[in-house]
């Protein structure tokens, strides 16, 4: 979670509680580099670990757990407590990538492989490697179950926007609004869509968000926060 420096993650409780990690990203790769860590940190560590690793222990779960735990290793000299450590961040990232790739390849077709590919896509986006990010995330969209596919659509939409494919990304988010899942609610998808289209369709974005203001719930507060981000005429 050390990469989560964006202001909204400190103030937007909805983002923390339901794993909202998608924004409209269309200007350049640097933005995707900054926001890719949100997908990896909030969605994977917040939702996926709980959803997947709470299942009955098994070989695939253990392999995925080990791969994800590598992300928590320290960078620097070995600690006195004997915790895993890597000399550089690059070495650590390579170890995480190798571990996740092993899970994805060895257990292809499983839920654990879908999680591994999702995380690999998020890591690639975090580094600005949009082509690789799109490849992994699209694979989860096309072959993962509906829950993991919905998470991949959220992150893939921002990657597509950065690749000047915003129309396709918008279509994906609208499909989530129409068909929510256990991992991506209708409200979460609606807020993601509104933020996504706000730069080019501010009036439509406002209409989407205004429908969610009916109560003092977490969703309502998140909608108000998103509304505040849309410049007024």
């Amino acid at each position: 979670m050390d990469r989560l420096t964006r202001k909204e993650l400190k103030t937007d409780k909805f983002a923390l509680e339901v794993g909202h990690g998608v924004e409209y990203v269309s200007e350049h790769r640097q933005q995707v580099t900054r926001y890719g860590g949100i997908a990896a940190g909030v969605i994977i560590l917040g939702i996926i670990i709980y959803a997947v690793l709470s299942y009955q222990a098994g070989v695939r779960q253990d392999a995925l757990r080990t791969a994800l735990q590598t992300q928590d290793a320290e960078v620097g000299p070995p600690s006195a407590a004997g915790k895993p450590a890597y000399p550089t961040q690059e070495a650590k990232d390579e170890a995480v990538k190798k571990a996740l790739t092993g899970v994805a390849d060895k257990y292809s077709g499983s839920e654990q492989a879908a999680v591994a590919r999702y995380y690999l896509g998020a890591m690639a986006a975090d580094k600005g490697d949009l082509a690789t990010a799109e490849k992994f995330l699209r694979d989860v969209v096309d072959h993962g179950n509906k829950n993991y596919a919905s998470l991949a659509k959220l992150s893939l939409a921002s990657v597509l926007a950065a690749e000047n494919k915003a129309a396709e990304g918008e279509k994906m988010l609208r499909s989530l609004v129409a068909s929510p899942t256990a991992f991506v609610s209708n409200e979460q998808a609606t807020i993601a869509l509104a933020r996504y289209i706000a730069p080019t369709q501010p009036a439509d974005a406002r209409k989407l968000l205004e429908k969610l203001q009916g109560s003092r719930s977490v969703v309502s507060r998140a909608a108000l926060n998103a509304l505040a981000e849309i410049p007024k005429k």
Side-chain angles (χ1 to χ4, degrees):
M1 300 292 284
D2 55 334
R3 295 186 182 181
L4 304 183
T5 58
R6 190 166 60 93
K7 182 179 179 181
E8 287 82 353
L9 286 178
K10 296 179 181 179
T11 59
D12 188 346
K13 188 176 180 181
F14 177 75
L16 295 174
E17 291 189 359
V18 301
H20 175 71
V22 170
E23 287 193 16
Y24 184 81
V25 180
S26 61
E27 295 183 3
H28 45 67
R29 288 171 180 258
Q30 184 177 359
Q31 288 177 296
V32 174
T33 299
R34 188 172 73 231
Y35 294 148
I38 297 171
V42 176
I43 296 179
I44 288 295
L45 297 181
I47 294 179
I48 299 296
I49 290 179
Y50 174 81
V52 176
L53 302 185
S54 61
Y55 294 164
Q56 184 177 1
V59 174
R60 294 194 302 272
Q61 285 85 352
D62 288 343
L64 178 60
R65 181 185 295 108
T66 299
L68 292 178
Q69 286 176 342
T70 305
Q71 180 68 21
D72 296 327
E74 297 179 0
V75 175
S79 67
K83 294 182 179 180
Y86 294 90
T88 64
Q89 184 64 47
E90 290 74 16
K92 175 181 172 178
D93 290 345
E94 188 60 32
V96 175
K97 180 180 177 181
K98 181 178 179 181
L100 289 169
T101 299
V103 174
D105 292 345
K106 186 173 183 178
Y107 304 113
S108 180
S110 69
E111 291 184 349
Q112 291 75 22
V115 174
R117 288 192 172 92
Y118 179 91
Y119 206 168
L120 287 166
M123 289 178 65
D126 199 23
K127 294 181 178 298
D129 185 353
L130 303 183
T132 299
E134 179 180 350
K135 174 186 174 183
F136 280 118
L137 294 172
R138 198 178 289 280
D139 183 74
V140 179
V141 169
D142 292 340
H143 304 294
N145 69 32
K146 65 179 183 179
N147 288 323
Y148 300 114
S150 67
L151 288 175
K153 285 182 179 180
L154 280 179
S155 294
L156 180 57
S158 60
V159 172
L160 291 172
E163 294 179 314
N164 296 317
K165 302 175 185 177
E168 184 181 357
E170 179 182 340
K171 184 178 179 180
M172 283 189 175
L173 293 179
R174 289 190 182 278
S175 73
L176 288 176
V177 173
S179 301
T181 69
F183 284 3
V184 180
S185 68
N186 172 270
E187 293 82 2
Q188 183 184 355
T190 298
I191 293 174
L193 174 61
R195 281 175 162 153
Y196 194 90
I197 67 174
T200 56
Q201 305 171 58
D204 290 342
R206 284 186 172 279
K207 289 179 182 179
L208 289 170
L209 295 169
E210 286 168 355
K211 296 177 181 179
L212 303 178
Q213 298 182 82
S215 67
R216 294 185 177 181
S217 66
V218 171
V219 170
S220 179
R221 291 194 295 273
L224 288 171
N225 288 340
L227 272 169
E229 296 170 4
I230 302 176
K232 296 181 179 180
K233 292 183 178 180

